Amino acid sequence: MITPSLTLERFKAIKTYFYENDSTDAYKEAFNEDVVVIDDMKQYTGINEILAWRREAYRRYSHTTTPIQVDISGDKITVIALVVGNFSGSPINLQFEFYIQNEKIIKLEIKA
């Protein structure tokens, strides 16, 4: 296991995803304009959809997400995070697969 805070320092965009949840400006800096996020078998495309998805998820589940493990393999950075909130199965470890280009997130897939 790698200490997330140390490893995520190398990836400002991923660190922003986990620690700047309510900052629209920070998200616009972290995500590519045509970013794709896949979560719960639904696809969200573009920064505006991503922001709406994040706001709705926080409103609905009142959850926290804590990175606990980081794995770097080629162009994929996988973060295992403990997610605790108001949903069935909480707490749960989820896998966040990030793809970065030019220091911005171009794709994120969240898996159980």
Side-chain angles (χ1 to χ4, degrees):
M1 181 160 76
I2 300 169
T3 305
S5 60
L6 297 177
T7 303
L8 291 181
E9 291 299 325
R10 291 179 45 201
F11 304 103
K12 182 179 177 187
I14 295 174
K15 190 174 175 186
T16 296
Y17 176 82
F18 284 110
Y19 298 111
E20 307 264 348
N21 305 353
D22 57 354
S23 175
T24 299
D25 290 338
Y27 264 49
K28 287 181 178 179
E29 288 292 317
F31 286 95
N32 193 42
E33 194 173 294
D34 57 353
V35 61
V36 172
V37 173
I38 301 168
D39 178 36
D40 200 23
M41 299 187 323
K42 295 178 185 161
Q43 181 171 309
Y44 306 89
T45 304
I47 190 65
N48 291 330
E49 280 191 23
I50 303 308
L51 289 167
W53 159 73
R54 290 286 285 183
R55 284 187 203 109
E56 176 60 19
Y58 278 101
R59 184 195 66 75
R60 180 181 290 166
Y61 303 117
S62 302
H63 65 285
T64 59
T65 307
T66 306
I68 56 175
Q69 184 176 340
V70 179
D71 180 53
I72 302 165
S73 178
D75 63 348
K76 179 173 69 173
I77 299 101
T78 303
V79 178
I80 305 298
L82 176 65
V83 182
V84 179
N86 185 24
F87 58 89
S88 178
S90 176
I92 187 170
N93 285 343
L94 294 179
Q95 182 173 306
F96 295 76
E97 294 180 353
F98 293 91
Y99 295 84
I100 306 290
Q101 187 176 67
N102 298 323
E103 299 185 26
K104 292 193 174 211
I105 299 166
I106 60 170
K107 182 179 179 186
L108 166 60
E109 188 166 354
I110 303 170
K111 301 176 179 179

